Amino acid sequence: MKFAILFAAALALSACGGPRLATSDRTSARPAGAVIAPSFGDRKPHPWDGRAPSAYAVHGTDTSRYQTPVDWVSARANGVNFTFIKATEGADDSDPMFREHWNAARDAGVATGAYHFWYHCANGRAQAQNFIRRVPRATGALPPVLDLEWTPFSPTCTRRPPQAELLAEAQVFIDTVARHYGQMPLVYVSPDIFASHELWRLRGVEFWVRSVAGHPSKVYPGTRWTFWQYSSTGQIPGKTGDADLNAFAGSAADWRDWLARRALK
């Protein structure tokens, strides 16, 4: 695999983050289910023990206003099979680049979804309504994502609510969004909040886990995951600067089956 070669090379070197919303079918010659092997590298690769990211067939990225502009055609041609794009934050904030990234990624044949960044000073229903207002129910889109992290550097909200409160409000968001889109959301988590607030208790969701210094089986023992964010220093043609790198848990065939089940109808 070309990615494996690039990964090994990067590791050897290391040793010496508007317009109309498109809702129609994608027009790219490479449909979203067609897996392209990654041909990108990592500026600061981790020396993985056990199963490395290069062992996985399906790779992608996540995107926000801080990655602009993106040549999605080039990114797709170089193995970006999917992306999750930031759409909203809290009860009233939105990412100004969401529409542009959403339309261009879909047009390039990238399997595209949207994520909501959780705000610990607003309730789950208001945050779900903000997401629903901004993100279309588009055929073929990936399931919505709830991004749950601590926010110690937020200028307006650094609180860490009790476990029971966070689980209850997050579940309200999840259930409200699921009713609207007809698919249960994914939940993105980092190790600290997942462990301290037992986020595995959330009902009916699949997890997208951040783990940049160890395989998820070690960092989230016993947790079944669907996506793994393994680096924030990826180098992807078409994206300027560092990019987040993610892998899907299964094979190329598993990816096509997962899309058939989980893409919005």
Side-chain angles (χ1 to χ4, degrees), residues 26 28-40 58-59 70-82 104-105 107-111 236-238 255:
R26 289 166 291 275
S28 171
R30 299 181 179 91
V35 173
I36 300 175
S39 56
F40 42 77
V58 185
H59 292 250
V70 176
D71 180 348
W72 285 106
V73 172
S74 178
R76 174 67 171 132
N78 284 277
V80 172
N81 296 287
F82 62 85
D107 287 347
V110 179
I236 298 175
W255 172 243

Side-chain angles (χ1 to χ4, degrees), residues 55-221:
Y56 294 88
V58 185
H59 292 250
T61 189
D62 51 270
T63 310
S64 71
R65 65 191 296 178
Y66 302 108
Q67 288 87 45
T68 179
V70 176
D71 180 348
W72 285 106
V73 172
S74 178
R76 174 67 171 132
N78 284 277
V80 172
N81 296 287
F82 62 85
T83 188
F84 293 99
I85 300 170
K86 183 178 180 181
T88 51
E89 181 172 344
D92 53 16
D93 193 20
S94 63
D95 190 306
M97 288 297 297
F98 170 67
R99 296 180 179 186
E100 181 174 329
H101 286 316
W102 173 273
N103 288 337
R106 282 173 60 85
D107 287 347
V110 179
T112 303
Y115 74 87
H116 173 84
F117 191 83
W118 184 259
Y119 186 67
H120 293 285
C121 296
N123 67 61
R125 188 170 304 281
Q127 296 194 59
Q129 290 169 344
N130 183 29
F131 185 85
I132 289 168
R133 284 195 302 269
R134 315 276 187 175
V135 179
R137 196 179 187 280
T139 301
L142 299 179
V145 174
L146 172 58
D147 180 345
L148 285 174
E149 304 176 47
W150 295 130
T151 55
F153 305 110
S154 169
T156 58
C157 180
T158 59
R159 71 183 295 257
R160 296 191 175 201
Q163 176 180 313
E165 177 188 334
L166 178 58
L167 289 174
E169 292 298 335
Q171 195 70 54
V172 168
F173 178 98
I174 289 163
D175 294 342
T176 303
V177 167
R179 284 192 296 271
H180 179 80
Y181 293 97
Q183 282 282 11
M184 288 296 286
L186 301 165
V187 177
Y188 171 93
V189 295
S190 56
D192 50 355
I193 193 170
F194 186 84
S196 68
H197 279 48
E198 299 182 349
L199 296 186
W200 50 267
R201 294 182 180 274
L202 293 170
R203 300 186 302 276
V205 299
E206 296 179 61
F207 287 106
W208 170 14
V209 298
R210 174 175 173 80
S211 183
V212 298
H215 190 273
S217 61
K218 296 183 178 181
V219 180
Y220 302 86

Side-chain angles (χ1 to χ4, degrees), residues 1-13 36-42 45-46 48 51-59 78-79 230 245:
M1 182 186 290
K2 190 173 182 181
F3 177 80
I5 296 171
L6 289 173
F7 186 90
L11 181 57
L13 288 172
I36 300 175
S39 56
F40 42 77
D42 192 337
H46 181 73
W48 304 100
R51 193 176 188 190
S54 58
Y56 294 88
V58 185
H59 292 250
N78 284 277
Y230 59 86
L245 301 178

